[in-house]
Structure formats: structure tokens, C-alpha cells
């Protein structure tokens, strides 16, 4: 039985994409490792220019490198909304005593919003958005199986760990599908329990037992299938799908790290109090 099309499957195979979308053809480790130094350093910056540059560069890279699906467009459109909401929240949350020497932006009764609080709030929001955008470079262009295969083939992660984790993650869409079936069965029987928070708790409690029973049955079938294929009997396994590290992966990683170092060298955000 297959999962419905509406179920999100993080380990589903990727469909065909235009050759222009170059991020799909890169090794997953190159897309994960190249932005990692910038993501770590962005945690410690306090200005707004540095994360804004990385955010803009990441969005441009995504627009060129991945297919512009509804999900990608929705994520990119949600970024400015998230920056506005998080920046406003942090601006209001900032201790006014720390920034009371800056100009007043808004005053409501005894409450005052200073320009320093707005700067701190939106610098924090930009920093979070830039880190998120950097993670999307690999997240939107990499499938779960390819990531596991690359860790096994290039990082020498034991295949017993990698492929077992892959099998475990495959449970996620399976559980989603089984939960839909259980909910539909309860509706057919008229056991939906009505409305309200107490009814919702009672209704979800009734889902737990059949969901656990289905999970145990599925786990047993997966374990038997893995035993039948001699999983774990030998220290190494042959690979049917290869995810090689090519020259273009090295070029991408080196160019990304060099560009990140150039941005930090030009802005040098740690000199700002």
C-alpha cells in the first residue's frame, strides 16, 4: 500500500530537473560542508550587513540552483515575513535600559521603543534567516537516500548505522499514512468524539494503540527483509547507487568558503560593540 501523494516524504526520490539547476548534481556533503563555516561564524556576529549579504546570496543561489516549485517559492516568500515578525519581537523584548541613549522610534504611554532596540531585533532576525537560508542550499536540493549514501561512501560511516537510520526515517511517511487510515476508520464508525480540547485528547488517545500495533508489524517486516538480504553479515557492502565526489564538488566547496571568507573580511562584524 502506497502513501498518499499529500504525505510529506523526506526520503522520496527526486524528480527530473533542468540541467541549469546545478545544485541537484552536486554531492550532498559539498552542499552541507561548504556553508557550515559561515553558519557557525554567523552565530557570533552582531551587525545586520553580514547576515543580510549571506541571506541575499543564499536566496540568489537557490533561485538559480533549484527548481522553483510551490514549496520553494513559499519558503522564500516566508523569509521576509519571518524576519519582520522575529525582528519586531526581539525589538520589543530588548531591555530599554541598554539602548536608552539612542533615538526614540515609538512611545506609547510609559513604554518607549528605541532605535537601538530595533537595530538589535532586526540584526538578530537577519542572522537567524541567513543561517536558515544557508541550510536550505542542501535541504532543498538533496534527497535523504543520497545524503545517507554519501556519508557511507565518502565519510566511511558504517553502513549498519547509515542504512538503519535510512530505514527508520522511512517509517515517518508510513506512520503518516497509517494515521490517516486510522482517522478515516474512526470517522466511518462515528467515533470522532465531537469537538473541543477534551474530545481531541480522547480522540488522539484512541489513535495510539492501533498506530503502535501497525508500527510493530511494519518493524517486524523490515527486520525480516533486512535479515533475508544478509544485512550486517559482512563489514562492507557493494553499492548499487554511487554518489561520487567530483571535481565540481571541490570547486563549489572551495569557491563557497572563499566567498564566505571575503564577506567576513570586508564586513569584519566582530569589531562592532
Amino acid at each position: 500500500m502506497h502513501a498518499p501523494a499529500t504525505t510529506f516524504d523526506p526520503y522520496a526520490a527526486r524528480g527530473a530537473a533542468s540541467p541549469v539547476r546545478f545544485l541537484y548534481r552536486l554531492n550532498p556533503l559539498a552542499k552541507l560542508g561548504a556553508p557550515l563555516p559561515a553558519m557557525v561564524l554567523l552565530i557570533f556576529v552582531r551587525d545586520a550587513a553580514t547576515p543580510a549579504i549571506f541571506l541575499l546570496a543564499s536566496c540568489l543561489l537557490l533561485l538559480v540552483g533549484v527548481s522553483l516549485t510551490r514549496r520553494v517559492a513559499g519558503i522564500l516568500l516566508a523569509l521576509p515575513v519571518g524576519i519582520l515578525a522575529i525582528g519586531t519581537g526581539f525589538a520589543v523584548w530588548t531591555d530599554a535600559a541598554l539602548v536608552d541613549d539612542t533615538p526614540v522610534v515609538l512611545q506609547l504611554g510609559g513604554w518607549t521603543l528605541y532605535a537601538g532596540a530595533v537595530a538589535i531585533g532586526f540584526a538578530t532576525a537577519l542572522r537567524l534567516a541567513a543561517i536558515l537560508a544557508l541550510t536550505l542550499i542542501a535541504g532543498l536540493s538533496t534527497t535523504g537516500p543520497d545524503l545517507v549514501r554519501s556519508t557511507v561512501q565518502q565519510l566511511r560511516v558504517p553502513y549498519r548505522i547509515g542504512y538503519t537510520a535510512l530505514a527508520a526515517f522511512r517509517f515517518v511517511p508510513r506512520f503518516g499514512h497509517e494515521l490517516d487510515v486510522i482517522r478515516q476508520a474512526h470517522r466511518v464508525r462515528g467515533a470522532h468524539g465531537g469537538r473541543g480540547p477534551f474530545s481531541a485528547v480522547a480522540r488522539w488517545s484512541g489513535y495510539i494503540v492501533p498506530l503502535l500495533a501497525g508500527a510493530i508489524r511494519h518493524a517486524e517486516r523490515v527486520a525480516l527483509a533486512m535479515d533475508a538480504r544478509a544485512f550486517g553479515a559482512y563489514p562492507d557492502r557493494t553499492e548499487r547507487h554511487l554518489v561520487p565526489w567530483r571535481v565540481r564538488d571541490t570547486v563549489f566547496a572551495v569557491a563557497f568558503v572563499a566567498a564566505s571568507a571575503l564577506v567576513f573580511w570586508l564586513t569584519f562584524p566582530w569589531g562592532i560593540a
Side-chain angles (χ1 to χ4, degrees), residues 16 21 24 62 66-76 140:
R21 311 302 184 184
Y24 294 119
L62 289 172
V66 302
S67 300
L68 192 61
T69 60
R70 288 185 178 179
R71 184 161 66 102
V72 175
I75 292 173
L76 294 180
L140 293 178

Side-chain angles (χ1 to χ4, degrees), residues 59 89 107 118 137 145 151 180 182 197 247 259 267:
C59 290
Q107 188 159 18
V118 175
I137 294 173
T151 57
D180 285 340
I182 293 169
V247 175
T267 58

Side-chain angles (χ1 to χ4, degrees), residues 121-252:
F122 279 91
T124 305
L126 282 171
R127 190 160 66 249
L128 295 175
I131 293 173
L132 174 63
L134 288 170
T135 62
L136 293 178
I137 294 173
L140 293 178
S141 61
T142 304
T143 62
D146 281 347
L147 177 61
V148 172
R149 290 174 188 131
S150 61
T151 57
V152 172
Q153 294 172 23
Q154 273 87 48
L155 296 183
R156 303 302 177 191
V157 172
Y159 77 88
R160 294 182 182 87
I161 298 175
Y163 294 148
T164 301
L166 180 61
F169 273 110
R170 287 293 303 172
F171 279 39
V172 176
R174 176 79 186 186
F175 288 168
H177 171 66
E178 291 195 354
L179 180 60
D180 285 340
V181 173
I182 293 169
R183 294 174 66 180
Q184 291 170 10
H186 280 223
R187 290 195 193 99
V188 169
R189 293 170 52 198
H192 54 277
R195 297 181 177 180
F198 295 105
S199 299
V201 171
R203 185 165 56 249
W204 279 95
S205 300
Y207 298 157
I208 293 176
V209 173
L211 191 61
L212 284 176
I216 293 172
R217 284 198 303 271
H218 184 59
E220 286 178 345
R221 287 195 292 267
V222 171
L224 289 173
M226 295 172 77
D227 283 342
R229 289 166 174 78
F231 184 81
Y234 299 96
D236 298 311
R237 289 180 68 91
T238 55
E239 301 285 348
R240 190 161 65 94
H241 298 285
L242 296 177
V243 186
W245 181 281
R246 300 182 178 90
V247 175
R248 62 193 182 205
D249 303 311
T250 304
V251 172
F252 174 81

